[in-house]
């Protein structure tokens, strides 16, 4: 749930794109516009991807305390963000108001379950967090976070605030999107 905390400032600034439902009933995702920010964390490796409204992308990978810029082919080879768990958990909480949609899916039948999916849509932005605790320690945890409808300032802050990404890689990411 660390990644939900990373997304909180963007959520609080208000999020209204639409994200496909976890049960597959909506097969397409409608982007809210603006920048798309992603974090994919798997077994101690974090991948950050930023996509500009015009389709330009940049990304970095952080592993073992070292960061590296990803080229376009490496980013493209990652493909679309996929659910961590093949089986969708049932929705355990939902709040739907005009302009705001909050949904949490988890396995409530298993009190020891350490995975959940959170979707928040409001005010032109969408946040989707899919997290799974693999057990003791952090190296087996997995999480995907996708934020759509982010502003240029949000994208700049996302890159500049990325922990463990070197200053050189941050500068290269900003330049790739014309945000420097």
């Amino acid at each position: 749930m660390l990644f939900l905390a990373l997304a909180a400032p963007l959520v609080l600034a208000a999020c209204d794109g639409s994200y496909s439902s976890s049960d597959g009933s909506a097969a397409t995702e409608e982007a809210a516009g603006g920048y798309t920010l992603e974090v994919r964390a798997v077994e101690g490796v974090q991948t950050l991807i930023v996509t500009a409204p015009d389709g330009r992308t940049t990304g970095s990978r952080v592993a073992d305390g070292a960061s590296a810029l990803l080229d376009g082919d490496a980013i493209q080879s990652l493909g679309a963000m996929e659910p961590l768990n093949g089986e969708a958990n049932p929705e355990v909480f939902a709040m739907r108001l005009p302009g705001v949609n909050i949904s949490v899916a988890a396995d409530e039948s298993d009190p020891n379950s350490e995975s959940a999916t959170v979707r928040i849509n409001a005010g032109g932005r969408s946040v989707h967090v899919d997290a799974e605790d693999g057990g003791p320690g952090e190296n087996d945890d997995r999480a995907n976070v996708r934020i759509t409808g982010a502003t240029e300032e949000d994208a700049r802050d996302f890159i500049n605030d990325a922990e463990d990404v070197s200053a050189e890689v941050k500068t290269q990411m900003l330049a790739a999107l014309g945000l420097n």
Side-chain angles (χ1 to χ4, degrees):
M1 293 306 177
L2 168 65
F3 296 102
L4 182 56
L6 292 173
L10 292 172
V11 173
L12 294 175
C15 302
D16 175 37
S18 148
Y19 205 89
S20 62
S21 71
S22 62
D23 65 4
S25 63
T28 61
E29 175 185 324
E30 296 177 31
Y35 288 80
T36 299
L37 316 174
E38 291 186 34
V39 177
R40 301 177 189 190
V42 178
E43 298 177 357
V45 177
Q46 289 185 9
T47 304
L48 287 76
I49 303 166
V50 180
T51 304
D54 64 6
R56 290 179 293 165
T57 61
T58 188
S60 65
R61 178 164 287 139
V62 177
D64 299 321
S67 61
L69 186 70
L70 296 176
D71 65 20
D73 290 338
I75 294 169
Q76 191 170 24
S77 72
L78 294 171
M81 187 176 85
E82 297 290 330
L84 294 176
N85 189 344
E87 295 181 30
N89 285 319
E91 186 174 77
V92 295
F93 172 81
M95 181 173 67
R96 292 172 178 81
L97 302 168
V100 177
N101 180 357
I102 300 172
S103 171
V104 178
D107 183 2
E108 67 182 345
S109 66
D110 180 1
N112 296 319
S113 177
E114 298 287 338
S115 67
T117 299
V118 178
R119 289 187 173 89
I120 303 170
N121 300 304
R125 295 189 187 165
S126 174
V127 177
H128 174 198
V129 179
D130 192 9
E132 185 175 271
D133 184 2
E138 294 179 5
N139 285 338
D140 54 357
D141 297 345
R142 302 182 314 154
N144 287 329
V145 177
R146 181 182 175 114
I147 301 164
T148 59
T151 66
E152 184 176 304
E153 182 181 343
D154 294 332
R156 189 177 291 111
D157 289 346
F158 179 79
I159 293 169
N160 284 324
D161 295 343
E163 290 185 26
D164 299 325
V165 175
S166 71
E168 179 182 351
V169 171
K170 288 178 185 180
T171 299
Q172 292 171 331
M173 290 177 72
L174 292 166
L177 298 175
L179 298 175
N180 45 354

